[in-house]
Amino acid sequence: MTPGDEASSLEVELKYRMTDTTAGERLLGADELAGFTAVAPAETVLNEDRYVDTADGSLAAAGYAGRFRTNGDTTVITLKGLLRQDDGGATHRREELEGPADPATAAGAWPESAARDAVIAIAGDATLGELVRVRQVRRKRDYAADGTTVELSVDDVEVVAGDRAIERFAELEVELREGDEAAMVPLADLLAEIEELVPVDTSKLERAMEAVRRDAAGDAPEEAAAVAADAADTDDAAAVADAGAAPPPEITPEATPEPAAAEVPRLPVSKSPGVLADDHLAEAGRKVVRFHLARMIAREPGARAGTAAEELHGMRVATRRQRAAWRVFGDAFDTERTDRYRRRLKLVAADLGGVRDLDVLIDAGEAYQARQSAPEARAFEPLLRTWRAQRDAAREVLIKELDSKAYRKWLDAYVEFAQAEGLGARPVGPVDPHRVRDTMPSRIWAAYEVLRAYEPVMRWADVTTLHDLRIAAKWLRYTLEFVREALGRDAGAAIEKVVALQDHLGWLHDADVAAHLARAFLVEHAGSLSEAESAAIGRYLVDRERELARLRRTVGPPWRGVASLAFRRALGRVVAGL
């Protein structure tokens, strides 16, 4: 909607959160996405948003969030409906009114627009005071297909209180600009398969206000967890109305007692899933889910404590294996009855990944730092210091999730599902293929076909293509591992070949992410770094780019390990054992 438009519109968008902008940048670099074709290059815009309301919260009480957005010399007032319709996933629909405005004057002096009229009707000539400021670097690109146009945007967001940045996060949005909402379904399906993207169920304002409350509470983890738990039980309009009515209340240790540790439901940790060739496909999937869910629960205390990175890593691996199990066995279950388990599992996996990915970056960065001279190591420290702060913030998000009532409720239900044979399974007839031996051979070969399809492009594959190949290798590996016992002992050698390729591509991905983040850090802090610091971090960037180039050059051997005729014959013998 353009400034000055006098009609209201319904904003329709897909919203996801990310640990960082890397996954979003990969998508922006693609000229085609799920049948949509880019119509222009990506562009970068800088926005500063001031979320506002009257002293008594009249906009929020009327069901709106008010926002002044300044871009250059232009300021726009936007009223977004707080009570949005959504599908329980990434799709958000809400009313939006927009028009030109001058924050320094009363609404009656603004140019005519539907947004101005609404502000006057709701608030009269009352002053709109600032609740919170949000700055964002937005990278965006338009895509079109059959008369439908969408804008894909990647937002690097900073929440500002006073003159301090109190939180930073990344989001990806796909907004319908013109055409039929139904055309977005293939895009939503594509984005749902990307591990780094987690559907968002809150607005930027809600997340920013939570950061303000947390900052006012002294940034203590236990207070933050209590605020998050309270917010989970409050509807959008009431939460924002409370925020607009008065500054966040001061929370003291005396007023907020330390919460008792939540009781975690237990599952026995076994040595293997125990999948057999004659198992019903749904029950094989349930065995795999139960096996890795038990490991996830067992690792949770260590992941919470934060004293051993291996515990958090183990918990993240367990969530990844469960998500893979849903992909392999999911069609054996009733989607409507089991979708809630998958949705929150993806969110938990992303929160764990947000911490783990930074742990990996920091460990590698500290190893690099240890090899440098003392002056070089000191000059390199600002990058590590920033990553450590981001890791601490990501840990806070994780602990909030693990402490939330919604998580505990989900986990209780998920444990019950994992132990209840037949629960949620699709009915099958006696002659429908439904056993592991009936259905897994084709699933294994289908996973291999996806991987082998990269063969024609391997000689000139770019980093994005190799990242996609890594995901394909991962799915083949998991598909084999889940039924390893049913496949027999010869499956181990085939799995090792796939693991070798996945590991190599994982190291390549780590080098690419480190280079991307180091480059972004240099650009963002160009005015505040000393010459020595810029030079030291620049040398680290070059080191990571050289490692990335080396790993691209040497991908041939592990690739041939899974693309060869010998591997296909070995895989055929393993599958034939079913």
Side-chain angles (χ1 to χ4, degrees):
M1 188 172 187
T2 58
D5 228 338
E6 296 189 15
S8 65
S9 66
L10 184 68
E11 179 186 59
V12 180
E13 60 185 0
L14 308 172
K15 290 172 63 70
Y16 304 86
R17 65 181 177 86
M18 306 174 285
T19 303
D20 56 59
T21 60
T22 305
E25 289 291 344
R26 285 202 310 269
L27 289 166
L28 282 173
D31 292 331
E32 295 203 12
L33 294 172
F36 281 79
T37 302
V39 297
E43 61 175 308
T44 302
V45 295
L46 305 177
N47 292 322
E48 178 165 296
D49 297 338
R50 292 175 52 216
Y51 288 94
V52 294
D53 206 338
T54 59
D56 60 355
S58 61
L59 293 183
Y64 290 102
R67 183 191 72 194
F68 286 125
R69 168 167 288 179
T70 301
N71 188 346
D73 296 329
T74 303
T75 299
V76 171
I77 179 70
T78 303
L79 298 184
K80 289 178 178 282
L82 291 171
L83 299 178
R84 57 185 176 271
Q85 305 165 346
D86 59 59
D87 60 358
T91 305
H92 294 251
R93 306 172 186 88
R94 56 181 178 176
E95 183 186 6
E96 182 179 87
L97 306 171
E98 196 166 87
D102 181 356
T105 66
W110 300 346
E112 185 176 350
S113 71
R116 184 204 68 170
D117 294 345
V119 171
I120 293 173
I122 295 167
D125 59 357
T127 301
L128 296 180
E130 181 176 306
L131 299 175
V132 67
R133 263 182 303 146
V134 172
R135 296 174 183 152
Q136 63 182 13
V137 178
R138 166 165 284 192
R139 296 261 297 144
K140 62 181 184 177
R141 194 175 190 187
D142 285 349
Y143 291 80
D146 297 328
T148 298
T149 302
V150 299
E151 178 186 274
L152 172 67
S153 61
V154 177
D155 298 336
D156 191 351
V157 184
E158 193 174 67
V159 181
V160 180
D163 59 354
R164 296 181 301 114
I166 60 174
E167 181 163 322
R168 187 169 183 176
F169 58 91
E171 286 193 359
L172 181 143
E173 298 179 358
V174 181
E175 183 176 352
L176 179 65
R177 308 298 287 180
E178 180 181 339
D180 185 1
E181 179 185 341
M184 297 175 70
V185 172
L187 264 176
D189 292 341
L190 169 68
L191 298 177
E193 294 298 318
I194 299 177
E195 184 175 359
E196 297 95 330
L197 303 183
V198 177
V200 170
D201 59 4
T202 57
S203 66
K204 289 189 176 80
L205 171 58
E206 291 168 280
R207 184 157 182 179
M209 291 309 303
E210 184 179 321
V212 170
R213 295 188 190 99
R214 192 166 59 246
D215 184 64
D219 211 20
E222 53 266 34
E223 283 94 349
V227 170
D230 291 342
D233 296 328
T234 307
D235 65 41
D236 295 342
V240 180
D242 289 344
E250 182 176 355
I251 301 176
T252 64
E254 292 77 18
T256 306
E258 183 175 345
E263 182 180 349
V264 178
R266 306 301 298 176
L267 281 175
V269 178
S270 56
K271 292 184 178 180
S272 67
V275 173
L276 304 177
D278 286 322
D279 280 345
H280 187 295
L281 189 66
E283 298 317 309
R286 198 185 311 273
K287 285 182 177 181
V288 175
V289 165
R290 183 168 62 240
F291 176 78
H292 292 292
L293 177 58
R295 277 157 172 70
M296 184 190 92
I297 293 171
R299 295 282 196 174
E300 183 180 324
R304 283 174 171 274
T307 54
E310 295 78 10
E311 292 296 302
L312 184 135
H313 176 56
M315 188 175 180
R316 184 199 190 187
V317 168
T319 60
R320 278 184 156 179
R321 297 294 198 278
Q322 289 171 74
R323 292 192 62 222
W326 281 110
R327 176 166 178 162
V328 173
F329 301 103
D331 60 359
F333 293 94
D334 182 336
T335 302
E336 290 187 2
R337 299 182 64 184
T338 59
D339 192 49
R340 60 179 176 139
Y341 305 130
R342 308 185 211 195
R343 286 202 310 267
R344 191 148 207 118
L345 182 63
K346 185 174 184 179
L347 189 152
V348 175
D351 287 341
L352 288 162
V355 182
R356 176 59 185 170
D357 290 346
L358 284 160
D359 277 342
V360 171
L361 275 170
I362 292 165
D363 287 348
E366 288 176 343
Y368 170 86
Q369 185 184 45
R371 298 193 297 270
Q372 309 308 308
S373 65
E376 183 81 355
R378 284 194 299 272
F380 181 67
E381 183 62 24
L383 180 60
L384 286 178
R385 187 164 56 244
T386 295
W387 285 351
R388 292 185 191 110
Q390 291 173 352
R391 190 258 316 274
D392 291 344
R395 269 195 58 79
E396 188 174 309
V397 171
L398 171 64
I399 297 303
K400 275 196 303 180
E401 168 62 18
L402 299 181
D403 281 345
S404 70
K405 295 176 184 178
Y407 172 79
R408 308 316 308 179
K409 183 178 180 181
W410 166 80
L411 187 56
D412 288 340
Y414 195 22
V415 168
E416 180 181 350
F417 163 81
Q419 297 182 99
E421 184 173 344
L423 183 62
R426 291 185 186 276
V428 295
V431 296
D432 292 334
H434 64 274
R435 298 176 301 173
V436 167
R437 68 168 73 253
D438 303 329
T439 59
M440 286 306 296
S442 61
R443 293 168 191 261
I444 291 170
W445 282 116
Y448 182 71
E449 287 169 4
V450 172
L451 185 145
R452 195 184 175 194
Y454 286 82
E455 190 171 44
V457 303
M458 282 302 295
R459 289 188 179 182
W460 54 82
D462 58 13
V463 172
T464 298
T465 301
L466 293 174
H467 172 78
D468 293 340
L469 174 61
R470 179 174 71 97
I471 294 172
K474 182 166 59 176
W475 290 128
L476 175 60
R477 171 190 176 177
Y478 292 163
T479 305
L480 291 167
E481 286 182 342
F482 291 157
V483 293
R484 183 169 186 163
E485 291 162 287
L487 291 173
R489 63 184 181 182
D490 291 341
I495 292 172
E496 286 177 6
K497 297 285 189 182
V498 183
V499 170
L501 175 62
Q502 183 188 341
D503 285 348
H504 187 98
L505 296 172
W507 300 327
L508 185 150
H509 175 68
D510 290 344
D512 179 47
V513 170
H516 171 80
L517 294 178
R519 187 181 300 108
F521 181 86
L522 286 169
V523 171
E524 183 178 350
H525 296 84
S528 59
L529 295 172
S530 69
E531 184 176 343
E533 289 168 342
S534 293
I537 297 169
R539 283 187 282 272
Y540 173 73
L541 169 60
V542 171
D543 178 85
R544 292 297 82 198
E545 288 178 333
R546 286 174 176 168
E547 177 66 1
L548 178 62
R550 183 190 71 80
L551 289 165
R552 287 183 66 186
R553 288 196 307 271
T554 56
V555 73
W559 164 253
R560 288 190 291 273
V562 299
S564 66
L565 177 61
F567 178 84
R568 293 195 295 278
R569 285 174 172 169
L571 186 62
R573 288 192 296 271
V574 167
V575 173
L578 289 174

